[in-house]
Amino acid sequence: MSTSAELLERVPFLGALQPKDREALAAYVTRRHFRRGDTIFQKEDPGQSLFIVESGSVRIYLPSPQGADLTLAVLGPGDFFGDLSLLDGSPRSAAAAAASETTTLTLERADFIALVKSRPEAAVAVLAVVAHRLRETDEMAADLAFLDVAGRLAKKLLELAASHGVQRPNGVLLNLALTQEELANMIGVTRESVNRNLGEFRRAGLVANEGRRFVIHDPEGLRRRCE
Amino acid sequence: MSTSAELLERVPFLGALQPKDREALAAYVTRRHFRRGDTIFQKEDPGQSLFIVESGSVRIYLPSPQGADLTLAVLGPGDFFGDLSLLDGSPRSAAAAAASETTTLTLERADFIALVKSRPEAAVAVLAVVAHRLRETDEMAADLAFLDVAGRLAKKLLELAASHGVQRPNGVLLNLALTQEELANMIGVTRESVNRNLGEFRRAGLVANEGRRFVIHDPEGLRRRCE
DNA sequence: GCCGCGCTGTGATGGAGAGCACAGAACGCC
DNA sequence: GGCGTTCTGTGCTCTCCATCACAGCGCGGC
């Protein structure tokens, strides 16, 4: 179980614990495996467990009646999800699916509550993470209400650069393969709109493509497009 | 201070405490007063205090560069706000203003952290409230992405009926005076769009007006408009 | 009771983006 | 290396909604 304990150390809200507590907690988590595309849970499912990404990546999304869903987040190793149902006991508020070959560690509600009761600093750490998440969602709502497609796309590219970018001589390379459709789902527009706006950006020298990866040449220019 | 203690009892996350603890806490809160229209705090302000509405009502909103802002919530007695900055120490993620003559109780970060450390069940209760809030914001983002103006308006009217409605022989009366502009800010559209869609709803017999208050005659009909 | 301001109702216009259709490119599989 | 599937690029149309403009109405104040 030492590998679980090592991962747990990197999880923000668990890093606050004593190594001894983490060791104890590691005994309660179970490991699960998902293939690319597997659904981890659906919106409205009753589950109350917390998932921690051990390896791979997970897409959190809201399904829409007409198919095209809204992607809220893409998570990597060390991130956790499913916390809302854990915290308030309600059904899942969003759906989760493996975006690549993924393994997770699962913690059950009862074990989490026991942890918080015995170590209140863990609760404060979880509160901070959830608060941060709430900020991000508020901002997403504001963007949907205030920005046009170009602005939302520019902003999303900058966000992705911040979270998945690696420095390159000619700019920042986004270290993930993204289709235009996936990008469209992240900002709530059609694939065609993304295509046309990307064309704009490319012609203006703001971004370029390397295979299916993006390179941001002019972050400042993108920032100007978000007003 | 007994009146403060009584209010504190009605605040969800503090209701979990022993009466003795609430009495102690009441000694730390300070009372503040705001007139209709007063700004309580601006977005990006550094403050780290928690506000509890004692009387009156408070509008939480995101200001937009071009003026028309997005109203995230309207709070009444017993509700609290400003919790995000309290939880993670970052600047205010939204702005707050008094929607009517309002008094609040204020709790400082240090006192809150001390409370959580000594009474972890309060932390669990706060987590539940914040989790609920996160759900609502996620749903708002989804609505902005998926629903048209009629759908968003119908949904908002149903929400308001659930939170501020009183039963009437002919339907549910919304117990608050709302201008079309305020309604428009809640769903991120123009006042004119709200007007036209309300006209639709009225002609279809779904809603009516009593003075400046709304009466919902056919909730089922409204529900159908949200798909 | 009268006046004025803010709210409501409505028309005309324009533009952004969705939807549809399809052609070509690229990637991956056998 | 050939072939099919998936992704990208682009034109056209049409709808929804923002914007502007203005006329009535109604509430509240003096």
Side-chain angles (χ1 to χ4, degrees):
Chain A
M1 269 300 169
S2 83
T3 54
S4 300
E6 275 163 31
L7 176 71
L8 293 182
E9 189 174 346
R10 286 164 43 210
V11 177
F13 80 94
L14 297 174
L17 298 181
Q18 306 293 324
K20 190 178 298 181
D21 292 322
R22 275 201 300 276
E23 290 281 333
L25 194 62
Y28 291 106
V29 303
T30 60
R31 184 175 278 108
R32 297 182 58 185
H33 189 91
F34 301 94
R35 319 193 145 278
R36 175 181 163 77
D38 281 359
T39 296
I40 300 175
F41 52 73
Q42 298 276 4
K43 185 166 155 72
E44 308 306 342
D45 274 3
Q48 302 195 342
S49 37
L50 175 79
F51 292 80
I52 300 164
V53 181
E54 186 176 43
S55 68
S57 57
V58 173
R59 195 169 64 91
I60 309 296
Y61 62 96
L62 292 167
S64 102
Q66 296 86 338
D69 44 44
L70 182 67
T71 300
L72 297 174
V74 178
L75 306 177
D79 294 330
F80 61 90
F81 61 98
D83 42 301
L84 290 200
S85 293
L86 186 92
L87 297 176
D88 67 2
S90 316
R92 302 295 183 189
S93 60
S100 59
E101 198 82 3
T102 296
T103 59
T104 64
L105 300 177
T106 309
L107 180 66
E108 294 305 320
R109 176 173 166 88
D111 296 324
F112 172 80
I113 298 287
L115 167 71
V116 165
K117 292 253 159 92
S118 72
R119 311 236 113 244
E121 60 270 33
V124 175
V126 177
L127 279 170
V129 175
V130 175
H132 182 74
R133 194 113 93 217
L134 190 41
R135 276 168 202 284
E136 283 179 348
T137 313
D138 279 357
E139 193 170 339
M140 178 160 203
D143 293 344
L144 283 166
F146 298 144
L147 297 181
D148 62 6
V149 173
R152 302 220 288 284
L153 179 59
K155 192 158 181 179
K156 182 55 72 179
L157 288 172
L158 289 169
E159 266 175 38
L160 291 170
S163 58
H164 299 270
V166 289
Q167 200 59 45
R168 276 293 175 82
N170 55 345
V172 181
L173 176 80
L174 295 197
N175 199 19
L176 35 65
L178 268 183
T179 69
Q180 295 181 350
E181 174 124 44
E182 288 167 334
L183 213 37
N185 283 341
M186 291 182 188
I187 58 177
V189 299
T190 59
R191 203 263 312 160
E192 292 90 328
S193 288
V194 166
N195 179 291
R196 286 185 242 267
N197 282 279
L198 275 178
E200 278 290 311
F201 290 175
R202 223 175 285 136
R203 257 166 272 135
L206 303 175
V207 303
N209 278 90
E210 269 183 25
R212 191 160 293 170
R213 295 191 147 77
F214 289 93
V215 184
I216 314 285
H217 285 144
D218 181 4
E220 202 41 59
L222 284 178
R223 218 158 288 134
R224 242 174 292 124
R225 303 258 165 162
C226 323
E227 243 96 344
Chain B
M1 270 300 168
S2 83
T3 54
S4 300
E6 274 164 31
L7 176 71
L8 293 182
E9 188 175 346
R10 287 164 44 212
V11 178
F13 80 95
L14 298 174
L17 299 182
Q18 305 294 324
K20 190 177 299 181
D21 293 321
R22 275 201 300 276
E23 290 281 333
L25 194 62
Y28 292 105
V29 303
T30 60
R31 184 175 279 109
R32 297 182 58 185
H33 190 90
F34 301 93
R35 318 193 147 277
R36 175 181 163 79
D38 282 358
T39 296
I40 301 176
F41 53 73
Q42 299 275 4
K43 185 168 156 73
E44 308 306 342
D45 275 1
Q48 302 196 341
S49 38
L50 176 79
F51 293 80
I52 301 164
V53 182
E54 186 178 43
S55 68
S57 56
V58 173
R59 194 170 65 90
I60 309 295
Y61 63 98
L62 292 167
S64 103
Q66 296 85 339
D69 44 45
L70 183 66
T71 299
L72 297 174
V74 178
L75 305 177
D79 294 330
F80 61 90
F81 61 99
D83 41 302
L84 290 201
S85 294
L86 186 91
L87 298 175
D88 67 5
S90 316
R92 302 295 183 188
S93 61
S100 60
E101 198 81 4
T102 297
T103 59
T104 63
L105 300 177
T106 310
L107 180 65
E108 295 305 321
R109 177 174 166 86
D111 297 324
F112 173 79
I113 298 288
L115 167 71
V116 165
K117 291 253 159 94
S118 72
R119 311 236 114 243
E121 60 269 34
V124 175
V126 177
L127 278 170
V129 175
V130 176
H132 182 74
R133 197 113 93 213
L134 189 41
R135 276 168 202 285
E136 283 179 348
T137 313
D138 278 357
E139 193 169 337
M140 178 161 204
D143 293 344
L144 284 166
F146 298 144
L147 297 181
D148 62 6
V149 173
R152 302 219 289 283
L153 179 59
K155 192 158 181 180
K156 182 56 72 178
L157 288 172
L158 289 170
E159 267 175 39
L160 291 171
S163 58
H164 300 268
V166 290
Q167 200 60 45
R168 276 293 174 84
N170 56 345
V172 180
L173 175 80
L174 295 197
N175 199 21
L176 35 65
L178 268 181
T179 69
Q180 294 181 350
E181 174 125 44
E182 288 166 335
L183 213 37
N185 283 340
M186 291 182 188
I187 58 177
V189 299
T190 59
R191 201 265 313 161
E192 292 91 328
S193 288
V194 166
N195 180 291
R196 286 185 241 268
N197 281 279
L198 274 178
E200 278 289 313
F201 290 175
R202 223 175 285 134
R203 257 165 274 135
L206 303 175
V207 304
N209 278 89
E210 268 183 26
R212 191 159 292 167
R213 297 191 145 76
F214 290 94
V215 183
I216 314 283
H217 285 145
D218 181 3
E220 203 41 60
L222 285 177
R223 218 158 287 136
R224 243 173 291 122
R225 303 259 164 162
C226 323
E227 243 96 339

